[in-house]
Amino acid sequence: GPGGGPGGFGGRGGGLRGGGLGDRIAFANRLRSNQLRGQASYQLGGSPLDASPYSLTGRPTDKPSYLQQRITASVGGQFRIPHLFDLGPRTSFFLNYNGNHSSAAYNAYSTVPTDAERAGTFTGSPVQLVDPLTGLPFANDVIPAARISSSASALLPYIPHANEPGTRQNFYYSTTNTTSSDDINFRFIRQFGEQTQRRGRGGLFGGGRGGMFGGGANVNFAVHFHRQESTQSTPFPTASGRTSQTGWDIPFGVAFSRWGIMNMVRGDYNLNRSAATNAYAGVTDVAGAAGLEGVSADPFDWGLPTLSFSGFTGLSDIAPSSRRARTISLSDMMIRSYKRHNFRWGFGYSDTRLDSRTDAMANGSFVFTGLFTSGETATAGSGADFADFLLGLPQQASVQYGPGTERFRSHAVNAYFQDDWRATPNFTLNVGVRYEYQSPYREADNRLVNLDVSPGFTAAVPVVAGGIGPYYGLYPLTLVNPEYGAFAPRVGLAWRPKPKWIVRGGYGINYSSVPYLQIAQKLAGQPPFATTDTIVGTTASPLSLANALLTSPAATTNNFGVDPNYRIGYVQLWNADVQRDLTRTFNVGFSYIGTRGSSLDILRAPNRGPDGTTITGVAPFIWESSGGISTMHAVSARARKRLSMGFQVGGTYTYSKAFDNASSLGGGGGVVAQNDKDLAAEWGPSNFDVRHRFTGDFSVELPFGSDRRWLNRDGLANEVFGGWMLNGTVSFASGSPFTARVAGAISDVASGVNGTLRADYNGQPIAIADPTLTGFFNTAAFSLPAPGTFGTAGRNTIVGPGTETFNLALMKNFTVRGLRTLSVRVQANNVMNLVVWQSIDTTVNSPTFGHVTSVGQMRSVQIVLRAGF
């Protein structure tokens, strides 16, 4: 609407949840007949109908067998069973089922060591490999078998052998993932009191003195159950897992009218359980069997350690997790019409309890850079990082697990007021304000720990929930101060200056409380309640893969802290739109949208310098604050011809620019700022910055059948070929941006991070005229920075592959005795079977630097049958 912004005034993310009162009333009115009405559909797709996956190497690939089938069915009507009970025409119900029992192809390319490298032979390496014990070169760049670490030998089988020729993208893995889900939704509606809808003294919703329902009420409740299980794959077949989820949602609502005020009270009980596990949890203690000490011994955490390389695909397992979330909410919305005003106001309250357990690095995370065998950051094809692995010499080792199940608690309140004022017949003004309060999460047993830091990050000490730090002072139980000033004003207008013109505009503010949960989960996984550490090795004091996690020199091993004055991020949105009807069926429009985000998340690593950490006795840590900003401006033009003479078509072109300095938007994941002392260098295009985008659609009634040009007489030809409609969508977009980075840089890893260092940029053009699979951009424009320096390349300076899609669907409705409708739809995505490049390798010291690393799905076809009764 003209207010501009997700959620409107009625509630976050979509206004009144579960559908408005008007929708429920209309649905009940449609079902007052004694007959049941419903529909069912079946969708079929899979490998027999789809094209084969595209091969990045040009060599044929296997096409896995998979099947996709989705079933939906719904029925509704008067709530009665003949000869048993009948609740009358004022009662109705709706029952819906959605099922998905499918499998889908998974395929990925990786770069793995050759069999010779797995055995310790690096003959032909571009760098001379040195024995770190003697300081002398290994003869012929061969590591003797006796020198290979027993821990490395135990983990080596989990890194697959190459199954493709060459040294780049030499492993291809193709498998099938399965998904099984069931979704059942039952809704019951009951009307009480008179059902007249006369306008009277009750106002807009009047029905005499009693209002719309004549002094009655509308009561509804629903029961929604959801279940899903699926398998998970990674680029290596040795790392896989499963996820499961079950959920119950029980909303109820009461609507009644008094004194001209329509009142809608709604409550909701929501319970969700989810879990993830890998192939080894509770079965095989892989890390323990490999002799890794200092890792979790709990069977819940069993699995593979994380191994990170510069020149090879790393080994990473699926982290086990369990989660139980329960939310109870209550809201009340009131509507009052007075003259030309339509007032809305209300409030809401919710209480959330989340019990979860997940240990991100329970089996250890180890980074191998080539420091010990080459003395420099591993270059493409050198194999020095893998040589360090065989010798059992990581440069960095990290661990995090505990304290078991964490119990998080939070509550939220909101209130809003809105006035829709129809000032004149052709001008409407929408004005309102919304207030939101979301409490930071606390842990039921107060097992949260922050870092209390001094000004300038010269010192850092742990502080528990409700504790007193030497620098900040008294901390709340949440360790993050709540924010009470989240007021969100909104204004919008709609104006028709002339019969064929419409002008709309608006301004609003939206807040996000999403980061609070991720922050609390990180604070809960800290000492003394959990085991957390990051240890860095040097040539003078190397680490051993087996016992690296037992050799911490730091007294404070906490790896995360947050600014206690952290503020919720918010975004201001404004928009303007002009629409003009050129003919009865053709219109054009132009719009502008602008946004400015403030208090966005930034991740920093303040405890680091050119040669390692800067705070004595404190391990490397990540610091989260809320000083980021963003801007986005977009203009678009659209045109649409509505359906007439059997044809409709429309399209929209959008040009936009989005910039930010927020390395982590929304509090999840993100990249740590390269230089903590130069946050201004983080300003650059946003990750979602797509400059050009066009979308279009069309529908054509094929000229066959009744009331059409050909085959318009009754008969078999009419029944088979008549009445078909062809629908299509097309979209083109320029690429999203990427950043040229360095993986496994010795100076970067020495300060407790990895992948934050950007490449050096020499000013050459980055884009090339004819990109290929092995050369998408000008790799000569980037190089490794000098040791101990930061890269000069900016964030997101490489424009990635664009997208182009063309989808078609052919549909026909049939008349079948006993059914209201029967339709058949055949739809094809990527109908032209175009190869759409998706991701590229922008790691400057990777052997596939500049290569396309993944492509989109090739043509897929589904057949949908839908029947209504």
Side-chain angles (χ1 to χ4, degrees), residues 100-119:
N100 180 11
H101 303 273
S102 305
S103 56
Y106 174 89
N107 58 86
Y109 284 89
S110 304
T111 297
V112 297
T114 64
D115 286 345
E117 291 170 329
R118 295 169 67 95

Side-chain angles (χ1 to χ4, degrees), residues 117 141 160 205 313 338 409 501 504 572 637 658 691 732 772 778 798 809:
E117 291 170 329
D141 285 331
F205 297 91
T313 302
Y338 178 73
R409 306 293 184 258
W501 289 83
R504 298 182 180 91
Q572 303 176 70
R691 297 297 170 88
F732 302 94
T772 64
N778 179 19
I798 302 172

Side-chain angles (χ1 to χ4, degrees), residues 311-322:
F312 302 99
T313 302
L315 177 68
S316 181
D317 206 352
I318 294 172
S321 66
S322 66

